[in-house]
Amino acid sequence: MIRINCPYCGERDHSEFSYGGDATINYPSLESSEKEWTEAIFFRKNIRGFQLETWHHSNGCRMWLEVERSTVTHEIKSVRPCHPDLQKVVENNK
Amino acid sequence: MTRFNAWNVIKNGLNGQSGWSRQWRDPEPKSNYDVIIIGGGLHGLATAFYLAKNHNIKNIAVLEKGWIGGGNAGRNTTIVRSNYMMPGNHEFYEHSLQLWENLSHELNYNVMFSQRAHVSLFHSPGARDSAARRYNIMRLHGTDAELWDLKTLKKKIPHLNYDDSRFPILGAAVQRRAGNARHDAVAWGYARAADSLGVDILQNCEVTGITRKNGSIESIQTSRGTIKGKKVGFAVAGNTSVLWQMAELGNLPIESHKLQAFVTESIKPLLNQVVVYGVGGAHFYISQSDKGSMVFGGDLDWYKSYAQRGNLPIVQDSAEAAMAILPCLGRIRLLRHWAGVMDMSMDGSFFICKTPISNLYLNAGWNYGGFKASPASGWYFADLIANENPHNYVHNHNLERFEKGINIDERGAGPDPKLHG
């Protein structure tokens, strides 16, 4: 079991969460070319090692989290809210 | 290499089994090959075999970082079927099934292919309609397919749980020619047959670097020295992105996910079919091996991973599904479970295609379907490498299909790799 330290709920089993995916995708502007959109929607780095990814605490606080996790050892380096403003709130309350 | 036949079996039975030669050589790498296949799994070995057999290319090397058949070849549930409906896919998998039917003779190696029928249960009128649609498409393309009503199903498999009021069984979609094979025998059979045609199988030969020059691959650096090849093929599903980035080619429409499978202690004959159970998003498939073990599997672990080990929530899910459909398994003990790393592609279909590098060819993205695809995968990948022109069946199985909007999405699940199970 992977244990994810949710900033709102504390450390919980990963089975409480839903996996989102790559957290580093930057969607291009609406005017961008099909090539750029294809790259954003369909193409992935698929990192072997530490990557930034999103998890949804779907059976908990229902917040979206950004998790830095190794895809080889499953070790987690950091967990924080996805939303930048919420990140600030969590940081300030530490 | 000593051929397997009745005469040799009797002769060696009388002389203490002393007349058998080794199954394949253990050669030193040469410095130059016509074709280098990276990946000594079923697809890589099959590709080398068909390159030699169908296209008369003899100077071939298969590079394997561990031992052959040690990756996903040994981490599957050995199911063979061809119940696909998208153009390209159904022709491809049907050809694969036909190759399976003659594979033991072709390789002179018993791959223990057993056409015991693939029985996919349905539990609602909607699911029955959907199964009927898929199976009608199969029949229109000349693949065998039938629907069993509840009476037939109860007669064929009496011990399923027919009393489940939440998910009552209404019947099943059946492909009789589908079944199982022995996974190790397929790897060993292809290796032995390829080796006898002159293919060098280089084990413990890990690729550590790829040197490019003027738009083509010049040489491959390995743990056993530098090797040059006129053409290079990747057949390393699970780790495709790693090699792809080693060749400085950027991103791929693939994520690596892990899929678990389970095997129990041996019991007397219980189940003479492959049974598939899928309701409410769950997904479960079970069969009985020739040794008597129940072999089953379920969903992906849902999060991206290169770890070849599974996680416990899926063990629980699969055990619950087993109990839901075959309650008689309640006291059976699990012997082992393992996980293989899948190339999950963005539309659930594979890639057999050319690449931005002129002498590099890609075989990847097999999702759940790698084992059954092995013979046809080797066949069409060899055809692409030898003739430079993708066959009609695989001409849309390329990396450009997403930009063109011609995704080959059997499930209609959209661009999320984990949903294409």
Side-chain angles (χ1 to χ4, degrees):
Chain A
M1 190 74 77
I2 300 173
R3 301 274 287 172
I4 298 174
N5 193 8
C6 174
Y8 302 101
C9 312
E11 192 178 275
R12 301 295 173 91
D13 287 351
H14 84 267
S15 54
E16 280 188 17
F17 298 77
S18 306
Y19 184 64
D22 195 330
T24 62
I25 304 165
N26 286 317
Y27 290 104
S29 70
L30 289 176
E31 293 76 37
S32 302
S33 67
E34 272 185 28
K35 186 102 197 155
E36 283 171 85
W37 271 102
T38 307
E39 187 70 24
I41 292 176
F42 295 105
F43 284 72
R44 297 288 176 266
K45 257 197 203 114
N46 197 17
I47 293 167
R48 189 187 163 100
F50 278 96
Q51 69 162 16
L52 276 178
E53 59 192 20
T54 55
W55 288 78
H56 183 217
H57 200 176
S58 44
N59 289 320
C61 59
R62 301 199 59 78
M63 298 302 276
W64 278 95
L65 307 175
E66 192 177 282
V67 178
E68 193 182 0
R69 181 186 65 102
S70 164
T71 57
V72 182
T73 63
H74 301 164
E75 182 199 338
I76 290 178
K77 265 192 188 162
S78 68
V79 184
R80 56 184 186 176
C82 279
H83 198 286
D85 290 347
L86 292 175
Q87 281 173 19
K88 279 184 212 147
V89 172
V90 169
E91 275 305 309
N92 292 340
N93 283 340
K94 262 185 187 170
Chain B
M1 179 194 75
T2 326
R3 273 186 73 79
F4 292 121
N5 54 37
W7 165 244
N8 275 330
V9 168
I10 294 166
K11 195 175 86 179
N12 283 291
L14 294 173
N15 68 12
Q17 309 293 351
S18 59
W20 301 110
S21 53
R22 63 179 291 154
Q23 302 285 297
W24 58 85
R25 297 164 296 129
D26 184 19
E28 281 304 309
K30 290 190 267 181
S31 55
N32 272 289
Y33 287 97
D34 289 341
V35 180
I36 297 175
I37 303 294
I38 301 177
L42 300 180
H43 293 232
L45 293 166
T47 304
F49 171 71
Y50 292 116
L51 273 170
K53 175 108 195 300
N54 295 354
H55 305 285
N56 208 27
I57 298 171
K58 302 293 181 193
N59 191 21
I60 304 169
V62 176
L63 274 47
E64 167 55 48
K65 72 175 171 185
W67 61 93
I68 59 162
N72 287 343
R75 293 169 180 270
N76 54 71
T77 47
T78 75
I79 297 168
V80 177
R81 58 184 167 86
S82 69
N83 54 349
Y84 285 74
M85 63 177 182
M86 298 297 286
N89 277 357
H90 58 72
E91 296 97 334
F92 176 89
Y93 284 105
E94 175 56 25
H95 186 210
S96 201
L97 182 55
Q98 287 167 14
L99 290 170
W100 275 106
E101 285 172 331
N102 194 42
L103 198 59
S104 293
H105 295 286
E106 174 92 345
L107 302 178
N108 182 234
Y109 204 97
N110 186 3
V111 299
M112 297 167 75
F113 182 46
S114 156
Q115 292 179 291
R116 56 180 67 177
H118 180 271
V119 179
S120 188
L121 307 175
F122 47 74
H123 307 264
S124 70
R128 179 171 50 206
D129 291 350
S130 158
R133 173 171 173 257
R134 171 179 291 254
Y135 278 60
N136 279 331
I137 291 172
M138 287 161 65
R139 287 169 74 119
L140 285 169
H141 287 96
T143 304
D144 72 306
E146 50 195 82
L147 294 188
W148 286 357
D149 61 11
L150 193 54
K151 204 175 137 202
T152 315
L153 187 63
K154 277 184 171 169
K155 208 168 133 196
K156 298 275 188 191
I157 318 177
H159 41 278
L160 292 178
N161 181 9
Y162 292 103
D163 300 324
D164 188 331
S165 51
R166 176 71 182 87
F167 297 115
I169 298 171
L170 299 187
V174 180
Q175 186 179 23
R176 280 183 194 257
R177 285 163 61 238
N180 293 89
R182 168 109 173 93
H183 55 280
D184 287 330
V186 187
W188 299 334
Y190 268 121
R192 176 173 172 274
D195 176 86
S196 74
L197 294 172
V199 173
D200 281 0
I201 295 165
L202 306 171
Q203 301 184 84
N204 299 310
C205 185
E206 183 172 0
V207 172
T208 53
I210 293 168
T211 307
R212 283 171 63 171
K213 199 176 172 186
N214 302 332
S216 63
I217 290 183
E218 190 192 40
S219 64
I220 307 281
Q221 283 78 52
T222 77
S223 53
R224 295 177 70 178
T226 298
I227 305 174
K228 286 188 174 180
K230 289 191 189 119
K231 295 182 176 185
V232 178
F234 286 175
V236 291
N239 284 293
T240 308
S241 298
V242 177
L243 267 188
W244 194 252
Q245 276 149 25
M246 211 182 268
E248 293 168 357
L249 284 166
N251 296 355
L252 275 176
I254 289 173
E255 278 187 4
S256 296
H257 284 260
K258 62 195 161 100
L259 179 59
Q260 297 192 51
F262 309 86
V263 64
T264 69
E265 60 190 328
S266 295
I267 52 173
K268 286 186 175 178
L270 172 75
L271 193 60
N272 193 29
Q273 294 88 1
V274 179
V275 173
V276 181
Y277 168 63
V279 284
H283 184 201
F284 178 75
Y285 33 94
I286 186 164
S287 62
Q288 189 168 20
S289 78
D290 290 344
K291 282 191 288 190
S293 309
M294 304 306 294
V295 181
F296 57 92
D299 283 309
L300 295 171
D301 274 23
W302 296 124
Y303 52 86
K304 226 198 80 184
S305 174
Y306 282 91
Q308 286 178 309
R309 58 182 188 282
N311 219 322
L312 291 173
I314 294 293
V315 180
Q316 186 174 354
D317 286 357
S318 301
E320 280 172 359
M323 283 303 290
I325 203 66
L326 280 164
C328 58
L329 292 180
R331 296 178 63 197
I332 203 165
R333 282 170 296 189
L334 208 57
L335 283 190
R336 296 186 300 278
H337 75 117
W338 60 88
V341 181
M342 312 286 117
D343 269 7
M344 297 303 292
S345 71
M346 279 288 175
D347 60 357
S349 289
F350 61 87
F351 304 100
I352 290 182
C353 61
K354 293 183 160 186
T355 69
I357 297 181
S358 62
N359 63 342
L360 175 68
Y361 306 82
L362 179 67
N363 174 324
W366 291 97
N367 298 274
Y368 273 47
F371 180 76
K372 65 175 137 356
S374 307
S377 167
W379 183 283
Y380 291 106
F381 195 39
D383 178 71
L384 174 70
I385 293 172
N387 297 327
E388 296 287 338
N389 206 6
H391 186 279
N392 261 348
Y393 294 175
V394 296
H395 79 280
N396 283 332
H397 287 85
N398 54 31
L399 297 168
E400 292 82 45
R401 67 179 184 250
F402 300 100
E403 194 180 344
K404 291 182 192 160
I406 42 173
N407 308 2
I408 308 169
D409 191 339
E410 289 273 339
R411 275 193 107 179
D416 190 346
K418 66 179 179 293
L419 301 182
H420 292 288

